[in-house]
Every structure is written in C-alpha cells, then in structure tokens.
Amino acid sequence: MRVRVPAKVNLQLGVGPIREDGYHDLVNVFHAVSLFDELTAEPADGLELAVEAAPYSRVAIGRVPTDARNLAARAAVLVASRLGVEPRVRLRIRKAIPVAGGMAGGSADAAAALVACARLWDDRERPALSRDDLMEMGAELGSDVPFALLGGTAIGVGRGERLTPALTRGTFHWVFAAADGGLSTPAVYAECDRLRDAAGESAPRPSVAEDLMTALATGDAKALGAALANDLQPAALELRPSLARTLNAGRDLGAIGALVSGSGPTCAFLAETDEDAADLAVALDGAGVAEQIVRAQGPVPGATVL
Ligand code: ATP
C-alpha cells in the first residue's frame, strides 16, 4: 500500500481568542501543494517505522521521531483499535515536506497512515471505515490532519478541523524557502499571545477574507498574492528575525505575494506563472536566504493511494 500526501500552505490564518479548551479560535484557508511525503504500509509482526528523506530532498529527518510518538504510528494504532485488530504494520515514510516547517508534514503522514492502514486491514468480515470515519479520526490526531485527507483548498474553522471546500480556478505557482531548523507551533502561538498582551490588544474574532475567496474563485494570482495573510507571522518573525530578510528577498526578486507558512519558518512566495516561479526559485537560491528552495503548484488532491 503506497499513499502520497501533500504539504499545505495557509493562504489565510486568522487567530482569534483562546477558547475554554485552550485552543485558539481559527479561520484557516488551507491550500494543498505538490510537495509530497510518501508512505508505504505492509504487513509485519508488530508496529515498525522507518523514516527517510525523499530522493533529491535535503529535508532534515533527524528530528522526526521513529517511535510511537510519530504521528503516522499514532494513526496506525488508532485505526487498529477502531477495527479491533493488532497494529501489525511496517510503515516507511519518505519525507519531502520540511520538518517543523509550518507545512503540516507530520499531519500529512498521519493522514497517509490512516488511509493506508484502513485499506490494509480492510476485511469483508467487518464494515469498512468510511471517509467520514477517517476525517473524524484525523481530527482526533491533530487539527491539520483532516485537511491532509481532503486536499484542494478549504476553509477550516474551530481548531481548523471543521472544513468546507473552497471554489478555485486554475493553478497557482509557489516557491517555498525552507529554513534551517524548525519552529515549535505551540511556541509561536504563545508568542502571538504575548505580543498581543504587550500591545494591549484583544484578539479579534477572525473571519474569512472576501478578497481572498474572490481571488481564488477567479484564479487571479495577483489578487491572491495581495490577500495572503497570516496572524502568526509577527510571532514567527519575533522568534526568527532572519525570516524578514527571506520575505524581503522574495518580494524584491518579483514574488507577487509572500508570507510565512503557518507557524513557520518556511516562507511561501507566489508567482504569476510557472516560468516566473522557476526564475524566482533560481534567484532565491542564489540569494542564499534559505536552506532549501522548492517549487510546487496548488491546489492538489489530499492523501491518495498510488
Ligand atoms: P504544522 O504546520 O501542523 O504546525 P509543522 O509542519 O510545523 O506542523 P511537523 O513537520 O508536522 O511540523 O512536525 C512537528 C513536530 O512533530 C516535529 O518536530 C516532530 O517532533 C513531530 N513529529 C511527529 N511525527 C512526525 C512526522 N511523521 N513527521 C514530522 N514530524 C513529526
């Protein structure tokens, strides 16, 4: 069983007040891009897990746990317990999505493992797991997991896990600048709260940006570039000041939109055409502002069996 699963970039990440359960109220416009992890699952005596970098990728896999803490392993255990079977599976993850990069790589692997294990342990003796079952289990594993199952472009509310697909036209061309070392998502949210407290600001209730939705529906890359917004960006820049240089370099080199992806530190740049994206990627690589530059297009489907 081989499953391919995409990274995401947040086109809008609106961070609202902290809820009673400790999570922030979010409005999240997720967009799946053609930067993929690949997971294979095959029968084994117990739960085994191996992680390797995808060919030609410089992704730093050193920080990915290879034990029960890996989100893919947790997904396999969850599917097994739901089906009442033993989690006897060998999972192999080939990573191309930057680790702790704000592109939801761990969530992507969890989504891939949900799909792969549900197929692997599918048996006529018991009812198969439905798409809704997988989405529900995904939400249990993490706020970004349901979107990795769905793919495309979607609006997420609540913790980000309640999804509505968004209408889009055409393909958007992206360049991603992955930084050396990750940023911890909880630390970035905490910094966002601290900055708001220090400024005496209360968190506004976030709402979906109409200009962003219009840009997506009309396939207007320039308008999309102008509408990109991430409330976590000031916090990510505070924790990693060098990202300001990366963002400025991308803008100076012709990007029509630039933002920190999710909690960072990966920076996302939008180009008008595929050719512009190729030029921007080469120029950014030459500028030496990032560990690795990758091009990708969106939207693409979510976790897919190959
Ligand atoms: P998000 O955008 O959802 O905040 P992220 O892209 O910043 O996530 P991930 O790559 O998902 O970050 O990894 C965050 C942490 O999760 C890692 O530092 C690692 O310790 C842990 N982790 C668990 N499972 C995985 C996995 N399969 N791949 C990567 N990291 C994993």
Side-chain angles (χ1 to χ4, degrees), residues 7-8 10 30 37 39 49 51 59-74 93 95 97-110 142-145 182-186 189 232 261-266:
K8 61 87 181 156
N10 304 81
F30 294 105
D37 278 1
L39 175 138
L49 181 79
V51 180
V59 64
I61 55 163
R63 283 167 297 143
V64 180
T66 52
D67 55 19
R69 287 171 302 163
N70 192 295
L71 270 176
R74 288 180 46 208
I93 304 171
K95 286 204 78 75
I97 305 175
V99 177
M103 300 192 78
S107 304
D109 298 345
S143 312
D144 289 351
V145 181
L183 272 177
S184 143
T185 303
Y189 274 97
L232 289 180
S261 177
S263 53
T266 303

